[in-house]
Amino acid sequence: MAGGQRARWPASTLTNAWLLAAAVLLNIKGIIAQKVQVEVEVEAYPTESVTLRCQFINGGSTKLTQVSWIWEPVDGQRDNIAVYHPVYGQSFPNPLFKDRVAFLFNNLENPTIRISKLRMSDAGRYTCEYATYPTGNEQGTTNLVMLAKPKNSADVVTVQAGTKSVVVAQCVAADSKPAATINWISSVRGNYSTSTTSGPDGTVTVRSEYRLVPTAEDNNKDVTCMVDQRTQDRQWTKSLRLSVEFPPSVSIAGYDQNWYVGRSNAELVCVFNANPPPTAITWKSASGPLPDSVVVENDRLSIRKVDDAVNTTFICEVKNKHGANSHHINVFVNEALEDPSSTGVVAGAVIGSLLALLLVVALIAVLLTRSRRQQRRGYPNNGESITTASGGSNGDYGNKARLLFISSGNSSKNGASTNNNGPMYTYREGCDATGMPTEKANNYHPHHLHRASSGNPPTPHDILLCAEMDEAERRKYDLDDSLDEEEERYDRFGEGGNVPPGAYHTHRGHQEEMDAYMDDDMESQRDGSVISRTAIYV
């Protein structure tokens, strides 16, 4: 520049320079402030105690002359609450902390204090400030946060059933810091609202109201209040039962439509639902005064013995402070019934008689069927002789009888007396009604050999053998019975076109048994005669 002109700096450049210088000074101050060591924030509760720590470190050649604790409840307000001087000692100038604050150590290097009997109003900033030489004052600040546990409560609000939404329950978290949070769980359809109120000491009260349109069905339903807050170890809950008042609803129970003359211990019960409980329960009769057989006890109407006077309409009326309601029931009395026990006996006797009759009918049917079969085959009935049962003429019977006769002398064909060493047999037609053998020819079996001459009188031996033959014939008829039954089965199945193989073989087996019996019965002798194996020797 010419002419000795002086250089001029722009205004913006000067401003930036000043800002840089201020920043350097602030940084230097911050480095120096680090010599006073304190806690940034401390939490405490009312009525308890709190310790505020302070210590001067890295002092070097700095001389400490005095230390003070300054309380700032709000911005712009500073109050000394404690001062320590190594020569003059301790001082507590603020009356709000009188007898509540004290130094824990009696020296400048560690001026820690304790505040007891804390109040919510004690919250604020606490600054530990040193007076030093040659650097001046040094300080550090601790923020004291006062916490308050909420005072929780929950209650129901008794309401009357209606058509408008009303408050039915309340939940409060009072005097807490910080503010609490309230929620609800409910089994009814409703909603809730929350409001907050701040106190003079910094606490907050939170209120929540649960609302719904109350009905009788909502009475005794459950709602639950839940409170969450920082100072609580766990969530606070309380369950409530709603109280909804309404006039009575009434019904009558106990009538089974089976009331008859003479029935005892009949009873009606008045069933009601009311809140609050009823003040009066009244029984009435639509036909006038209650019958003499009726006994009333509160909600019960008992009839000692049912009669025609009970054939009426009974009314139960219930009252409470919100109104009255009633219900009626028509009772119809039937005629007297028989004793159920005697009815059962009669029914049992009838059933037993029917069963016995059926058994007798079945037995008669079996006997008649058997008799018809015997008559059809010529089987003798009880008390009849074989010779007369078949219905043949002159005392004969259909099947052939075989008789054994023994000759009284020993004669040969030439009239000479000989001994054949065995009985001689002849065959008769049968026995007459007196048991005497007949002389008809016997063509029943091909093995019949001899025929007795006519006119020979029967001997006692002949009569005995004839009786034996009767028994043999009875056994033969028994065998024929089973054969006939198989034949009937064969016939029944044959009508359908299919013959059961079992029935066929059974029939055939019986026939073979009969043939084998007749064939094996006769035996040839040495002298040429043929005798029966089943005959009786006399």
Side-chain angles (χ1 to χ4, degrees):
M1 293 184 180
Q5 293 181 349
R6 300 174 64 181
R8 300 180 61 184
W9 296 94
S12 59
T13 303
L14 291 176
T15 302
N16 292 335
W18 280 111
L19 290 175
L20 180 59
V24 171
L25 290 175
L26 289 175
N27 288 335
I28 294 174
K29 185 175 182 180
I31 294 173
I32 295 174
Q34 290 179 359
K35 293 180 179 180
V36 179
Q37 187 175 8
V38 295
E39 295 175 301
V40 176
E41 184 175 279
V42 175
E43 294 179 352
Y45 296 92
T47 71
E48 297 181 357
S49 299
V50 65
T51 299
L52 303 180
R53 294 178 175 84
C54 180
Q55 189 174 7
F56 195 92
I57 58 174
N58 300 325
S61 59
T62 302
K63 293 181 183 280
L64 304 178
T65 59
Q66 182 177 291
V67 63
S68 301
W69 280 95
I70 301 171
W71 172 49
E72 300 180 54
V74 295
D75 291 338
Q77 179 180 347
R78 291 170 60 91
D79 293 324
N80 279 327
I81 61 172
V83 178
Y84 177 76
H85 190 276
V87 176
Y88 301 109
Q90 302 176 2
S91 174
F92 306 100
N94 196 314
L96 295 177
F97 291 87
K98 184 179 181 181
D99 299 329
R100 295 196 303 124
V101 63
F103 286 98
L104 297 182
F105 306 100
N106 197 23
N107 60 65
L108 289 175
E109 287 77 13
N110 190 358
T112 299
I113 62 173
R114 174 176 292 170
I115 304 174
S116 59
K117 299 178 183 178
L118 286 172
R119 305 166 183 168
M120 290 302 299
S121 58
D122 292 338
R125 292 192 297 268
Y126 289 81
T127 301
C128 178
E129 185 177 82
Y130 279 92
T132 65
Y133 180 84
T135 58
N137 294 339
E138 303 288 350
Q139 63 184 14
T141 301
T142 298
N143 187 28
L144 175 60
V145 177
M146 291 300 297
L147 301 176
K149 295 180 180 180
K151 300 173 183 176
N152 301 321
S153 63
D155 299 287
V156 296
V157 178
T158 300
V159 298
Q160 185 176 353
T163 58
K164 294 182 179 181
S165 178
V166 295
V167 176
V168 295
Q170 293 178 338
C171 189
V172 179
D175 302 330
S176 67
K177 188 177 180 181
T181 302
I182 298 178
N183 292 292
W184 292 86
I185 295 178
S186 175
S187 59
V188 295
R189 290 188 175 183
N191 54 74
Y192 64 92
S193 58
T194 303
S195 61
T196 59
T197 303
S198 298
D201 55 357
T203 59
V204 179
T205 297
V206 180
R207 296 179 181 273
S208 183
E209 295 177 337
Y210 196 90
R211 294 174 174 268
L212 57 77
V213 177
T215 63
E217 290 74 17
D218 296 327
N219 187 46
N220 288 326
K221 292 295 181 65
D222 291 331
V223 292
T224 302
C225 173
M226 303 178 297
V227 178
D228 293 290
Q229 204 261 355
R230 175 180 174 181
T231 62
Q232 295 180 161
D233 295 332
R234 63 181 61 88
Q235 186 182 64
W236 183 89
T237 62
K238 184 175 181 180
S239 295
L240 305 171
R241 284 183 178 268
L242 299 182
S243 176
V244 180
E245 295 185 347
F246 51 92
S249 60
V250 186
S251 63
I252 297 177
Y255 179 58
D256 58 1
Q257 298 182 350
N258 188 31
W259 287 22
Y260 52 86
V261 175
R263 175 175 173 175
S264 59
N265 298 326
E267 185 178 71
L268 297 178
V269 179
C270 187
V271 181
F272 56 85
N273 184 22
N275 188 28
T279 56
I281 302 174
T282 306
W283 283 95
K284 301 177 182 179
S285 173
S287 59
L290 291 174
D292 295 336
S293 59
V294 170
V295 177
V296 174
E297 185 176 358
N298 295 328
D299 59 341
R300 296 180 180 274
L301 183 146
S302 301
I303 296 93
R304 291 188 295 266
K305 192 170 185 179
V306 176
D307 53 21
D308 291 333
V310 180
N311 194 46
T312 184
T313 299
F314 290 100
I315 304 170
C316 178
E317 184 181 71
V318 181
K319 294 181 180 180
N320 70 359
K321 71 176 186 179
H322 294 295
N325 205 344
S326 63
H327 185 76
H328 69 274
I329 189 167
N330 298 320
V331 174
F332 298 95
V333 178
N334 302 320
E335 295 298 327
L337 300 178
E338 294 183 0
D339 186 1
S341 59
S342 62
T343 303
V345 172
V346 172
V350 171
I351 294 174
S353 300
L354 292 177
L355 292 177
L357 180 61
L358 290 176
L359 182 61
V360 171
V361 171
L363 182 60
I364 293 174
V366 171
L367 294 177
L368 290 176
T369 302
R370 185 176 181 85
S371 177
R372 291 193 188 98
R373 290 178 182 174
Q374 292 173 353
Q375 292 175 2
R376 185 170 62 251
R377 295 193 303 268
Y379 191 94
N381 293 328
N382 293 336
E384 297 181 354
S385 172
I386 297 177
T387 61
T388 63
S390 63
S393 63
N394 299 325
D396 296 336
Y397 62 94
N399 292 325
K400 308 304 179 183
R402 185 171 60 225
L403 298 178
L404 169 65
F405 292 92
I406 303 175
S407 62
S408 60
N410 295 329
S411 62
S412 65
K413 295 179 180 180
N414 298 325
S417 176
T418 60
N419 185 6
N420 292 331
N421 297 325
M424 294 182 64
Y425 291 83
T426 184
Y427 292 86
R428 304 293 187 186
E429 179 67 23
C431 299
D432 58 15
T434 63
M436 307 302 291
T438 62
E439 291 292 336
K440 292 184 179 182
N442 188 345
N443 297 324
Y444 180 75
H445 201 279
H447 296 297
H448 297 171
L449 300 177
H450 301 287
R451 184 176 301 166
S453 62
S454 302
N456 293 333
T459 67
H461 301 89
D462 296 335
I463 297 173
L464 175 62
L465 291 176
C466 185
E468 294 293 336
M469 288 307 296
D470 285 344
E471 181 64 25
E473 288 299 330
R474 287 183 182 276
R475 290 197 298 270
K476 175 175 173 295
Y477 277 116
D478 290 338
L479 184 62
D480 289 341
D481 284 343
S482 61
L483 184 61
D484 290 342
E485 291 177 0
E486 296 297 336
E487 288 177 354
E488 290 180 2
R489 291 178 55 193
Y490 176 81
D491 293 340
R492 285 196 302 270
F493 281 101
E495 292 175 0
N498 296 324
V499 180
Y504 171 74
H505 291 303
T506 302
H507 171 76
R508 184 177 180 182
H510 281 294
Q511 186 63 43
E512 290 176 356
E513 183 179 353
M514 288 292 297
D515 293 342
Y517 171 79
M518 299 302 296
D519 292 342
D520 293 344
D521 185 47
M522 309 308 296
E523 185 180 52
S524 298
Q525 302 297 309
R526 293 179 181 179
D527 59 357
S529 63
V530 180
I531 66 175
S532 171
R533 294 178 179 176
T534 60
I536 300 173
Y537 291 87
V538 180

